[in-house]
Amino acid sequence: MKDIMENIKEELKKSGYKLTIQRKAIIEVFSEQNAVHLSPEEIYDCVRDKYPNIGLATVYRTLQLFEELGILYKLNFDDGCSRYELNTGEEGHQHHHLICLSCGSVQEVNIDLLESLESEIEKTKEFKIVDHNLKFFGYCKDCKDKSQ
Ligand SMILES: [Zn+2]
Ligand SMILES: [Zn+2]
Ligand SMILES: [Zn+2]
């Protein structure tokens, strides 16, 4: 986590921003919560525990800044609220997301497996692929077990 914070500090500095207490607090939420995909409201709730003076508008603004700087990814899971996750800076393509239609949980699949599809598209469409954002909708194990 120390490294992540150092990297983010560098990233901000490069663009002329400082790692303020509020910005730091928002990054800390991502390291302290087990959920890696957080909505602005969830982030706000966590940050407010420690910093009661922070406003929701500040949280929104900070998330937007982090997104512009590539520190966070903004994800849209088609459930009416956007969520954010930390860009870990790992080279390569975005992981895939499994979205439960019953409880709304989001799991990650950290293998790409799209290489053959990607090379087919690059060949037939002459389109250079740099990333993708793949969502699978269905029912998680817990919800599936419960309904049986
Ligand atoms: Zn890929
Ligand atoms: Zn579920
Ligand atoms: Zn994710």
Side-chain angles (χ1 to χ4, degrees), residues 86-117:
L86 216 47
N87 181 355
T88 52
E90 277 162 35
E91 282 292 310
H93 290 177
Q94 171 75 287
H95 49 256
H96 312 320
H97 290 104
L98 311 181
I99 297 138
C100 179
L101 295 168
S102 177
C103 69
S105 69
V106 179
Q107 293 177 61
E108 297 192 339
V109 180
N110 282 308
I111 35 178
D112 191 320
L113 296 180
L114 296 178
E115 287 85 359
S116 59
L117 179 62

